[in-house]
């Protein structure tokens, strides 16, 4: 059996540049890996793809990205062999953290390993992009600027200023559908057509100024999400009032993250959050980058 951790991400910046002819939105985004993980176990089988999952809210058929990734891999290498996959789910669902995308990427990597590396990295990238815009990011482990529809990945060296920092993550108890968030942008013209250059600017600022970097965090998809769910704006406000370096919705939501200088600061932010909003929501503190 091959067992693999499957992490997630936050978008420190997600700038939508405009709608494309193919219906997707052109964007520039700064993605950062987050060490909050699902676990997937893989075992070769004679035929078929059998997926089981610890969370019964998730489909285990071809609607699940891990299932789709396995089917696409086997079809691409022309194999009639089968695979058994078990997914231990920890990352919240429809949360803007890319949990499902990570599962798909890890499935491609694991099957490639189990079948003796028949596919090159470039081919895995193509398969990943065909499964979903966020998936190629998870084939590598660094922060990255992603462009195109999010599938063109330029890996970055770890940011010096983020060393030792922590994230506080809050899931508000409801998910946001990615197609819904992008479709709503037509009602928010400024958010739908951002000026290019913000991602590169954030990357430059974060080389030596953490506080200035936090001020550059931006997400075009907050326009529709915070309009429909004002609670998300209150969460961010609470984090900022209590000294977060930055607070933002990740991806198409619904998770909000706050950046804190240290573990102690992150725990303090979370305590203040719980004092105001109660203890029933899913929350986590997680180290963003090693010291
Ligand atoms: O690529 P993925 O399957 O994750 O995208 C889900 C949906 O999100 C797309 O069908 C599209 O509606 C929207 N989307 C978009 N522009 C992007 C990425 C996603 O409009 N860059």
């Amino acid at each position: 059996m091959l067992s693999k951790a499957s992490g997630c991400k936050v978008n420190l910046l997600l700038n939508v540049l405009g709608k494309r002819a193919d219906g997707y939105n052109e964007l520039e985004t700064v993605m950062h890996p987050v060490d909050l993980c699902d676990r997937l176990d893989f075992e070769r089988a004679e035929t078929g793809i059998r997926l089981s999952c610890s969370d019964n809210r998730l489909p285990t058929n071809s609607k699940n990205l891990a299932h789709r990734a396995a089917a696409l891999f086997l079809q691409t290498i022309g194999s009639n062999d089968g695979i058994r996959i078990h997914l231990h789910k920890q990352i919240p669902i429809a949360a803007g953290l890319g949990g499902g995308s990570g599962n798909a990427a890890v499935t491609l990597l694991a099957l490639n390993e189990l079948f003796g590396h028949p596919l090159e990295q470039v081919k895995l990238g193509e398969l990943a992009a065909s499964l979903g815009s966020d998936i190629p990011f998870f084939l590598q482990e660094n922060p990255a600027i992603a462009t195109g529809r999010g599938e063109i990945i330029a890996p970055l060296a770890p940011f010096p200023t983020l060393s030792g920092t922590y994230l506080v993550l809050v899931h508000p108890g409801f998910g946001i559908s990615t197609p819904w968030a992008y479709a709503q942008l037509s009602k928010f013209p400024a958010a739908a057509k951002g000026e290019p250059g913000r991602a590169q600017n954030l990357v430059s600022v974060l080389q030596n100024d953490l506080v200035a970097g936090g001020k550059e965090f931006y997400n075009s998809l907050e326009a529709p999400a915070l309009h429909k769910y004002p609670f998300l704006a209150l969460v961010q406000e609470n984090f900022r009032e209590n000294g977060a370096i930055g607070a933002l919705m990740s991806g198409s939501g619904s998770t909000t993250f706050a950046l804190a200088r240290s573990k102690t600061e992150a725990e303090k932010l979370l305590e203040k959050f719980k004092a105001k909003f109660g203890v029933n929501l899913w929350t986590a503190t997680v180290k963003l980058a090693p010291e």
Side-chain angles (χ1 to χ4, degrees), residues 86-97:
H86 183 68
L87 167 57
H88 306 260
K89 199 74 199 165
Q90 300 277 349
I91 302 165
I93 300 162
L97 297 172

Side-chain angles (χ1 to χ4, degrees), residues 19 23-27 101 129 131-134 148-150 178-179 182-183:
K19 189 105 188 243
Y24 281 91
N25 285 272
E26 187 73 14
L27 50 84
S101 296
L131 289 162
S133 307
D134 267 1
R149 56 185 169 88
T178 302
Y182 278 104

Side-chain angles (χ1 to χ4, degrees), residues 5-259:
S6 172
C8 57
K9 55 84 181 170
V10 288
N11 302 80
L12 301 178
L13 181 137
L14 195 166
N15 187 20
V16 173
L17 304 177
K19 189 105 188 243
R20 314 194 317 189
D22 65 2
Y24 281 91
N25 285 272
E26 187 73 14
L27 50 84
E28 50 172 22
T29 176
V30 179
M31 299 169 86
H32 200 291
V34 175
D35 191 16
L36 168 75
C37 296
D38 297 332
R39 178 153 287 280
L40 289 105
D41 300 329
F42 300 91
E43 210 163 9
R44 286 185 66 161
E46 288 206 351
T47 63
I49 298 165
R50 258 179 297 162
L51 172 67
S52 55
C53 182
S54 60
D55 184 334
N56 61 16
R57 290 170 303 170
L58 277 178
T60 50
N61 56 15
S62 61
K63 287 192 176 133
N64 190 302
L65 273 171
H67 193 290
R68 288 229 294 276
L72 182 61
F73 179 90
L74 292 170
Q75 184 202 336
T76 305
I77 66 164
S79 172
N80 291 320
D81 286 7
I83 190 86
R84 266 195 298 274
I85 308 174
H86 183 68
L87 167 57
H88 306 260
K89 199 74 199 165
Q90 300 277 349
I91 302 165
I93 300 162
L97 297 172
S101 296
N103 294 166
V106 161
T107 299
L108 292 175
L109 292 170
L111 267 63
N112 205 34
E113 204 173 316
L114 282 174
F115 285 79
H117 296 101
L119 302 182
E120 307 268 344
Q121 200 66 15
V122 172
K123 187 66 190 172
L124 290 176
E126 283 171 25
L127 298 189
S130 77
L131 289 162
S133 307
D134 267 1
I135 299 175
F137 170 75
F138 290 100
L139 292 175
Q140 55 91 55
E141 292 179 348
N142 277 28
I145 289 190
T147 52
R149 56 185 169 88
E151 89 286 21
I152 303 168
I153 305 298
L156 300 165
F159 295 104
T161 52
L162 294 182
S163 155
T165 60
Y166 271 71
L167 288 182
V168 182
L169 300 166
V170 170
H171 187 269
F174 53 84
I176 295 180
S177 132
T178 302
W180 176 86
Y182 278 104
Q184 293 301 304
L185 278 176
S186 59
K187 299 181 189 158
F188 301 88
K193 217 169 174 2
E195 279 290 309
R198 291 180 87 141
Q200 197 51 60
N201 177 54
L202 172 63
V203 169
S204 308
V205 173
L206 269 183
Q207 297 308 313
N208 47 34
D209 193 335
L210 181 61
V211 172
K215 295 199 171 90
E216 300 296 329
F217 288 0
Y218 171 75
N219 184 347
S220 310
L221 297 174
E222 282 189 346
L226 274 56
H227 179 75
K228 175 149 190 208
Y229 303 107
F231 176 68
L232 299 179
L234 296 180
V235 173
Q236 289 190 14
E237 221 169 90
N238 178 263
F239 282 141
R240 290 200 192 96
E241 274 169 12
N242 290 302
I245 286 159
L248 198 74
M249 184 179 84
S250 182
S252 59
S254 57
T255 301
T256 298
F257 67 90
L259 179 63

